[in-house]
Every structure is written in structure tokens, then in C-alpha cells.
């Protein structure tokens, strides 16, 4: 990873702190998350503190500090989905996978996220696994989804 990080960072002028967000975006794009090693290297290259890198990266929801799972489960908690009890689906996934929102299962198979709205309210409640939309979701359907994706 270190050589790949160096390759990314060569695109940015050494000591130019204004390049922090683009550097973080490139690292996120390449590795799907920003590791502690990446934070150290970015800080060293751009001559900012590691806490500044963490501060900026943690401000924006686009950056992750944990390696994502093989599959990402996103549960919609928008108004239509909430009315149709998507909160129960989220609890089902948390309990069944033994993971909390924003984290990845111990086996690295699933990451769990919540989304404010997918914009497909007619299908509520909605769950998206990777890029596949699953509407009118129930816990029984959720169990089948977990089997389909490998749990």
C-alpha cells in the first residue's frame, strides 16, 4: 500500500496543504477507505498534522476510516421507509450480522450503512445491497438477501 500511496501523493506538490481533500479523495478512490497509514503519509507529504487530516476527513461523510466489507448493505430511513418500519430492518441487520451502522462485520463480508433517502419511496421500505435495489423489504426478505450474498 505504501508504494501506491506514494504514487498517489506524487500528484500533489509537497507541502501544499490546499491539496488535502483531493489527496484524500484519491486515496479513498484507490483503497475504498483512508487507513491510518494513509493519514500518516498524507500528513507527512502535505506538511500538516495527522489530526488535521483526521479532522478534515471526518468532517465529510464521503471518507471512511474502516475497510469496507465485500458487500455494502444500505437501509433507507427516509420518511416513506420510516413509516413502513425500515428501522426494524436496520435493527434486524445489526442483530443478525452483529455489527453497528458505519462498520463492517468481523469476517469482512458486510458493511452496514443507513441512508436518508434513495428517492424510490414507492418501493418503501428499501434496502440496497451494493448497487442492487430491493423494495418492499421485510425481515424474511432480508434473511434471504443475507443468504444470497453469503451469510
Amino acid at each position: 500500500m505504501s508504494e501506491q500511496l506514494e504514487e498517489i501523493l506524487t500528484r500533489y506538490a509537497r507541502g501544499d496543504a490546499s491539496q488535502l481533500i483531493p489527496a484524500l479523495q484519491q486515496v479513498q478512490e484507490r483503497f475504498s477507505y483512508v487507513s491510518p497509514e494513509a493519514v500518516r503519509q498524507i500528513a507527512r507529504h502535505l506538511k500538516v498534522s495527522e489530526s488535521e487530516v483526521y479532522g478534515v476527513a471526518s468532517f465529510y461523510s464521503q471518507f471512511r476510516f474502516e475497510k469496507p466489507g465485500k458487500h455494502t448493505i444500505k437501509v433507507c430511513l427516509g420518511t416513506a421507509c420510516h413509516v413502513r418500519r425500515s428501522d426494524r430492518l436496520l435493527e434486524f441487520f445489526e442483530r443478525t450480522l452483529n455489527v453497528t451502522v458505519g462498520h463492517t462485520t468481523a469476517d469482512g463480508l458486510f458493511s452496514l450503512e443507513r441512508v436518508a433517502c434513495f428517492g424510490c419511496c414507492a418501493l418503501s421500505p428499501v434496502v440496497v445491497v451494493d448497487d442492487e435495489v430491493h423494495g418492499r423489504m421485510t425481515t424474511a426478505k432480508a434473511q434471504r438477501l443475507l443468504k444470497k450474498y453469503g451469510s
Side-chain angles (χ1 to χ4, degrees):
M1 178 184 268
S2 183
E3 289 178 20
Q4 292 174 323
L5 282 169
E6 283 300 322
E7 178 191 326
I8 290 170
L9 293 174
T10 59
R11 300 175 194 158
Y12 304 100
R14 191 168 287 280
D16 185 358
S18 70
Q19 297 299 303
L20 179 54
I21 291 175
L24 284 166
Q25 289 171 324
Q26 284 289 308
V27 168
Q28 173 92 10
E29 185 178 316
R30 173 77 63 88
F31 301 106
S32 302
Y33 76 112
V34 180
S35 69
E37 177 187 0
V39 169
R40 278 190 297 279
Q41 283 196 239
I42 290 169
R44 207 173 319 137
H45 185 82
L46 298 179
K47 303 214 183 306
V48 296
S49 70
E50 289 181 30
S51 63
E52 285 180 82
V53 177
Y54 274 115
V56 169
S58 63
F59 180 79
Y60 297 101
S61 62
Q62 68 178 297
F63 298 115
R64 303 176 61 124
F65 295 105
E66 186 175 296
K67 186 175 182 177
K70 181 177 179 184
H71 301 289
T72 301
I73 298 171
K74 297 177 183 171
V75 178
C76 182
L77 294 178
T79 303
C81 289
H82 178 74
V83 167
R84 294 193 174 165
R85 304 308 315 250
S86 61
D87 57 331
R88 287 186 181 173
L89 290 168
L90 186 61
E91 289 171 11
F92 166 80
F93 284 118
E94 286 181 322
R95 190 178 53 253
T96 303
L97 297 173
N98 194 27
V99 67
T100 56
V101 169
H103 295 284
T104 301
T105 56
D107 62 4
L109 192 54
F110 294 104
S111 292
L112 184 61
E113 296 178 6
R114 64 176 163 216
V115 174
C117 184
F118 281 114
C120 45
C121 302
L123 298 176
S124 67
V126 173
V127 170
V128 174
V129 181
D130 300 330
D131 292 327
E132 192 174 329
V133 177
H134 302 274
R136 297 184 180 88
M137 185 59 62
T138 63
T139 53
K141 288 180 177 179
Q143 286 175 326
R144 288 193 293 271
L145 272 182
L146 292 179
K147 286 182 183 173
K148 175 182 174 183
Y149 287 96
S151 178

